[in-house]
Amino acid sequence: MTEHHSNPPSGAGAFSTTVLAVLMNKKKFESLPPDLQQIIERHSGPALNQRFSEVWDADMAAGMAAMPADSVVTIAPADYAEIEEAAEGVAGNWVKAVERRGIDGDALLQGLRKIVAQQAASRTEEDVVLPATP
């Protein structure tokens, strides 16, 4: 946990996103017997996502509850917009860099932005964990 923390304004996405994934080579997966494939499928996808989420959320809640109230700030909407605008060049440079490798960076970026927007829209005030006040 960091010494200081910032929350985005209500309805806005976080500035960073942590991606947790379990990846497996497709050919290797297809070479497994069907019973092992079924075990992997049963314990991955939505089931694994739920387990990741529960652990992540519990750890975040515990960490935030332990933080002093004056170490958490909610970013004002105008400041948030300025930060997003300033960071747009970084995103553009990333898109260009991955496109040089034959990857559709714009599609990836837009897909990520869509997911972040959906998460932000579904977040309620109860989802924002604030530190304990002294």
Side-chain angles (χ1 to χ4, degrees):
M1 189 57 76
T2 60
E3 186 175 329
H4 298 281
H5 181 78
S6 60
N7 285 323
S10 181
F15 289 117
S16 63
T17 301
T18 301
V19 178
L20 303 173
V22 176
L23 307 173
M24 184 174 195
N25 179 285
K26 185 176 180 177
K27 287 182 183 177
K28 183 63 179 173
F29 178 79
E30 290 171 347
S31 74
L32 295 173
D35 62 326
L36 293 180
Q37 289 181 12
Q38 289 173 355
I39 290 170
I40 292 171
E41 288 174 343
R42 186 170 51 249
H43 295 285
S44 62
L48 186 57
N49 182 53
Q50 183 64 35
R51 288 202 323 241
F52 276 164
S53 296
E54 288 169 358
V55 171
W56 183 272
D57 291 346
D59 285 351
M60 284 297 294
M64 291 295 288
M67 293 181 75
D70 63 354
S71 67
V72 179
V73 64
T74 297
I75 300 169
D79 294 334
Y80 182 89
E82 283 186 44
I83 294 168
E84 277 194 317
E85 184 179 333
E88 193 56 38
V90 175
N93 288 339
W94 179 83
V95 167
K96 290 175 189 172
V98 299
E99 284 181 346
R100 285 192 294 270
R101 297 173 55 201
I103 299 168
D104 188 348
D106 189 58
L108 288 173
L109 180 60
Q110 296 312 315
L112 175 62
R113 286 180 171 164
K114 181 180 177 182
I115 291 168
V116 170
Q118 289 169 341
Q119 291 297 314
S122 69
R123 191 177 74 206
T124 66
E125 291 303 318
E126 293 81 37
D127 294 328
V128 178
V129 180
L130 297 176
T133 54

